[in-house]
Amino acid sequence: MVKMVSLALVAAFLSLNIPQVRAEAPAASADKATGSKTVTVFAAASLKNALDEATATFKKKTGVEVSISYAASLPLAKQIESGAPADIFISADVASADYLSSRGLLKEGTRTNLLGNSLVLVAPKIANIKKLTLDKASLLGALGESGRITTGDPASVPVGKYAKAALQQLKLWEDLEPRFAFAENVRAALLFVARDEVPLGIVYLTDANSEPKTTVVATFPASSHPPIVYPFAMTASSTSESAAKFFAFLKGPEAAGSYKKQGFSVLH
């Protein structure tokens, strides 16, 4: 059973001097009513660069304010379930969207599996690692005697779920599980690697593309994990016309350019 942080892992975190990383815009700060002109979005952390760019384009065209809370998908879904106001939910996995759908909290007919992604292994650029093969000897060699590998917590963070599935399929999970330092979202994991606080991390290709202080050293075969799919949907409680316009924009060609620039594949 995977645990977020065991006592041994706490000690490892302290020795690595890894800071606590929070979502950039906590969902609790989204205090506008759902029907107001400000559009409130809860989105997977991995979307930050692409979605920020698309949002800036939309605001320039329409003057509509958009407030985005970035974090791991399931915690965001649970905040919506608890009554946090949101117009649009964007998940990095199907399961988190299913969680809200099964509770009647997504607007019928709006859910779209819009984007795809890839899973990669990254290292700090200053480590000067060119490429690694996805086998026990190469990965443990790169970690050294006490180095940690990071990704999102598989219990709640989609990238961690994909990473665990891939490592299990490649028969590497049992060897690597004790060496993991789990993060609360994919951007937190990326930050640990960028700061050279861990030798390796498993993140999405789009996150790796956003961080010049990391380098991709291996790509996981698409067949080693479930497809990485991003469902977009409006929430059942949203009555905002501005939110409906923004949602349509997010599915259109202008936003698609922002997604592709970051490395997402556009599925629709």
Side-chain angles (χ1 to χ4, degrees):
M1 175 180 175
V2 178
K3 295 182 178 179
M4 179 66 172
V5 182
S6 64
L7 290 177
L9 193 52
V10 170
F13 265 86
L14 291 174
S15 66
L16 288 169
N17 191 31
I18 295 178
Q20 183 77 5
V21 180
R22 301 287 183 187
E24 288 86 346
S29 68
D31 57 0
K32 297 288 187 180
T34 308
S36 70
K37 189 175 181 181
T38 296
V39 178
T40 302
V41 181
F42 283 11
S46 52
L47 278 160
K48 180 169 173 51
N49 294 69
L51 200 55
D52 280 355
E53 180 178 291
T55 299
T57 300
F58 179 77
K59 181 179 177 180
K60 186 176 180 180
K61 290 183 63 173
T62 65
V64 173
E65 294 288 341
V66 178
S67 173
I68 306 177
S69 293
Y70 293 104
S73 300
L74 185 58
L76 288 175
K78 289 185 175 181
Q79 288 184 49
I80 292 173
E81 181 187 24
S82 297
D87 294 295
I88 296 169
F89 176 67
I90 309 174
S91 173
D93 68 342
V94 170
S96 298
D98 286 347
Y99 182 89
L100 290 180
S101 290
S102 66
R103 289 158 174 78
L105 296 172
L106 296 182
K107 188 164 290 186
E108 290 188 12
T110 66
R111 180 171 167 178
T112 304
N113 290 338
L114 188 63
L115 302 177
N117 213 333
S118 301
L119 193 69
V120 298
L121 184 71
V122 293
K125 183 154 283 187
I126 63 172
N128 202 30
I129 299 174
K130 300 301 181 185
K131 292 293 178 184
L132 288 176
T133 54
L134 295 171
D135 59 50
K136 178 179 176 180
S138 294
L139 298 182
L140 291 179
L143 291 176
E145 185 176 344
S146 59
R148 295 278 176 175
I149 180 171
T150 188
T151 193
D153 175 19
S156 59
V157 184
V159 71
K161 296 176 185 179
Y162 296 125
K164 181 178 178 180
L167 293 173
Q168 286 177 325
Q169 200 277 336
L170 296 171
K171 303 188 185 308
L172 294 168
W173 177 251
E174 288 187 4
D175 295 308
L176 290 176
E177 183 183 8
R179 306 294 294 274
F180 267 100
F182 293 127
E184 65 180 33
N185 61 60
V186 68
R187 286 303 174 96
L190 183 70
L191 185 62
F192 297 164
V193 182
R195 291 179 174 174
D196 195 25
E197 291 168 338
V198 293
L200 296 173
I202 300 175
V203 299
Y204 301 121
L205 174 63
T206 54
D207 295 291
N209 289 343
S210 75
E211 179 48 73
K213 293 182 180 179
T214 66
T215 185
V216 174
V217 296
T219 299
F220 288 88
S223 59
S224 69
H225 55 79
I228 301 173
V229 175
Y230 288 70
F232 284 50
M234 293 193 66
T235 63
S237 62
S238 179
T239 58
S240 167
E241 291 184 8
S242 295
K245 290 178 181 177
F246 184 54
F247 188 69
F249 174 84
L250 290 176
K251 297 188 295 178
E254 287 183 280
S258 297
Y259 307 142
K260 291 176 181 177
K261 183 189 300 184
Q262 199 61 39
F264 289 98
S265 56
V266 179
L267 305 179
H268 291 284

